[in-house]
Amino acid sequence: MTTQPPAGGTRKIGRLCAIGLVLATAVMTAGTPAVAASPAHRLPDLGPNVTVFDPGMPVADIQATLDAAHAAQVDAEMGTARHAYLFRPGTYGTAEQPLQIEVGYYTEIAGLGASPTDVVINGKVEVYNRCLEDGGTANCLALVNFWRTLSNLSINVNAAGQDGCRASANIWAVSQAVSMRRIDITGGNLSLMDYCTAGPQYASGGFIADSRLPTVTNGSQQQWLTRDSEIAGWSNGVWNQVFSGVAGAPDESGFPNPPYTTLDTTPVSREKPYLFADARGGLNVRVPSARKNARGITWADGMTPGRTLPLRDFFVARPSDPVRVINSQLARGKHLLLTPGVYDIARSIEVRRPNTVVLGLGHATLTAVHGSTPLDVADVPGVVVAGVTVDAGTDKSPVLLRVGKRHGHRWSSASNPTTLSDVYFRVGGPHVGRTDTALEVNSDHVLIDHAWVWRADHGVEGLTDTERWNTNLGRNGAVINGDHVTATGLFVEHFQQYNTVWNGDDGTTILYQNELPYDPPTQADWMNGDVEGWAGYKVGDRVRTHRLYGGGVYVFNQNNPEIHTENGFEVPEAPGVRLHHIMTVNLSAGTIDHVVNGVGDAADTTKVGAPVYVADHPA
């Protein structure tokens, strides 16, 4: 996504977003797995792209393995490599020899403890600005630091050997499709921007859940959601900073300066499933229970409430497995573990049984082939899909992930909602992509917990903006037809009509981020009948109850800066439809004439980077 530079800077990025296992103690060479495991406790074979570390492995060996992984992935934004690095319970790194990890694209770093405190990293786990020019020395920014995962471990910050600036905090300078879950940080502060590599640069994140954190420097992050966590403090914020169920969250009374939106509790939440090793060394998946009106972490008083599934209850899939085999295993009652890699999906993976878990490791990616719908979930309660990226293919798909049939029976449960956690979508980027809709939710009582739905504004297809508009096709990003659907962290960008359409009643969104498409060639290409443009967030005309907390729609019509969009948000004028803390922002091209329903000033090029806020609609 494009964004403008910090005050006093210049635009640097153009159209960039703004722009199995074997026992071993040897160092892994790039692309080759290594496993450190106690001989008494062999782990199951999770495939060649999962590396498991044991605390008995020399720190230098672990460091070398992870350094090689980062070197291979730091610039692999459009690559196909996927990898998960898992840590058995224990302590890694020492005061004198800390373990300092840098995380690249399509990389998951996770502990295998029942609690985040079971795995301790003495050192750091970090993401810095990525330098895009002059051999990796210039144009350093965080705006395209996508697709990485950090979860289920503790970091005792140790910056020994780092320079004075980087030693000042654990730096996590990331943008969309990056989650931090079940993390406990002590010994130093956390910064969500990299102010050391070429100075502060904007980032476009982001998401934290179920974590206990020190003082956090948000700095240059345009938007961020922190949910069901504890923080010692929070500083700064650019446009849209949302806290839901967070002990220590800042007060929102000064909105829009600072731009904080704070909910005391989260109305509906459920933590992402996670792998953990039991006392005998066996692997299990913990599936947390849903919570109502939650606040704070789930693991303060012991194991996160939920159910434990042994790994033998899962079909452990690899990219070479045919979909018919996967579906046969699901039909027999197995859950599905997708090991890291890119899966070509020519017919739908069909999830038909209630309470089925589909868990991806290392940003496992499902790519549509022959216009398929890669993942199709039935109208049943309690399904959990987590850690999966779904890519459009070159033949147009009707939808990339569907939950429930459009006019089918809705068998749902308010106490056991079907849940999508860290589920990401991509249309274009590494290859041409085409879909009508990316995410379609028809079932009732569905929870969307962190989703990035992206029609790519840049990639390796070699397309001009006008060619991209006519080639990478995506009408809508998210279409929500079910009732009682909740989204905590919904990021939808660059689709060619309404980016989000919410037709179901009694829906709730807590943090919404949208960029309108950069690439419409003319105003005629960007018309909704007689209306100029399509709102970034549309609530259906028949909806009577809807709530949105903290929403932003941004415009950067770089292909034709004269294009107008009439409204950033479009909603029915009904007493039960309430929008709290919404904004539009101009990123230096194009105009959004109003924030919502003709209310609010224009976000035009006289206000570049300065949000136009509406505190509440209706007022």
Side-chain angles (χ1 to χ4, degrees), residues 333-536:
K334 289 282 192 177
H335 304 281
L336 178 60
L337 184 75
L338 296 165
T339 62
V342 177
Y343 297 69
D344 290 334
I345 307 297
R347 55 172 288 194
S348 298
I349 295 175
E350 298 176 346
V351 181
R352 295 286 174 257
R353 299 168 65 95
N355 300 311
T356 299
V357 176
V358 177
L359 177 61
L361 299 181
H363 293 260
T365 301
L366 309 178
T367 300
V369 176
H370 303 320
S372 71
T373 294
L375 192 55
D376 197 350
V377 179
D379 271 309
V380 294
V383 172
V384 177
V385 179
V388 177
T389 296
V390 189
D391 264 6
T394 55
D395 295 324
K396 189 176 181 182
S397 297
V399 62
L400 298 179
L401 193 163
R402 179 189 293 114
V403 181
K405 299 299 183 187
R406 182 68 179 89
H407 300 291
H409 171 72
R410 297 181 182 177
W411 178 25
S412 63
S413 170
S415 61
N416 187 23
T418 284
T419 304
L420 310 179
S421 297
D422 295 349
V423 175
Y424 311 133
F425 301 82
R426 185 167 57 186
V427 181
H431 48 75
V432 168
R434 298 183 175 101
T435 191
D436 188 23
T437 298
L439 170 63
E440 181 178 289
V441 175
N442 299 310
S443 296
D444 297 339
H445 296 293
V446 172
L447 172 61
I448 305 167
D449 185 48
H450 190 218
W452 186 37
V453 189
W454 188 51
R455 177 179 168 267
D457 58 280
H458 64 278
V460 296
E461 317 98 321
L463 303 174
T464 67
D465 278 344
T466 298
E467 289 170 339
R468 180 172 289 110
W469 178 261
N470 293 314
T471 303
N472 286 338
L473 306 179
R475 179 170 60 94
N476 303 122
V479 176
I480 313 299
N481 297 315
D483 297 336
H484 319 296
V485 174
T486 299
T488 49
L490 181 58
F491 302 75
V492 185
E493 297 190 291
H494 311 311
F495 284 81
Q496 294 173 297
Q497 293 185 13
Y498 290 127
N499 275 255
T500 294
V501 183
W502 204 296
N503 294 318
D505 204 36
D506 193 30
T508 301
T509 298
I510 300 172
L511 191 137
Y512 180 72
Q513 183 263 336
N514 166 249
E515 280 187 358
L516 298 173
Y518 300 170
D519 52 347
T522 69
Q523 186 71 62
D525 294 296
W526 186 240
M527 293 292 294
N528 179 9
D530 295 330
V531 177
E532 290 185 324
W534 304 78

Side-chain angles (χ1 to χ4, degrees), residues 66 83-87 99-104 106-112 116 119-121 123-127 146-157 170-175 177-185 190-192 207-213 224 271-274 299 360-363 387 422 424 450:
L66 293 168
H83 210 110
Y85 297 90
L86 309 178
F87 291 78
L99 180 60
Q100 295 169 344
I101 304 168
E102 292 185 54
V103 186
Y106 309 110
T107 299
E108 177 172 3
I109 304 289
L112 289 176
V119 174
V120 178
I121 305 293
K124 288 181 157 189
V125 183
E126 297 190 294
V127 180
F146 309 141
W147 300 303
R148 41 207 102 185
T149 299
L150 175 62
S151 66
N152 199 33
L153 52 78
S154 297
I155 302 170
N156 180 24
V157 177
N170 191 102
I171 293 173
W172 188 248
V174 297
S175 287
V178 180
S179 70
M180 176 183 285
R181 294 176 181 266
R182 294 174 59 81
I183 297 297
D184 189 19
I185 298 180
L190 173 66
S191 177
L192 302 179
F207 181 85
I208 292 170
D210 202 20
S211 294
R212 184 165 59 195
L213 303 176
W224 198 276
E271 302 309 327
K272 180 181 176 182
Y274 57 93
W299 42 273
L361 299 181
H363 293 260
D422 295 349
Y424 311 133
H450 190 218

Side-chain angles (χ1 to χ4, degrees), residues 315-336:
F315 176 64
V316 179
R318 302 193 190 191
S320 58
D321 288 321
V323 171
R324 60 179 173 76
V325 173
I326 293 173
N327 282 339
S328 174
Q329 294 290 323
L330 287 168
R332 292 173 55 198
K334 289 282 192 177
H335 304 281
L336 178 60

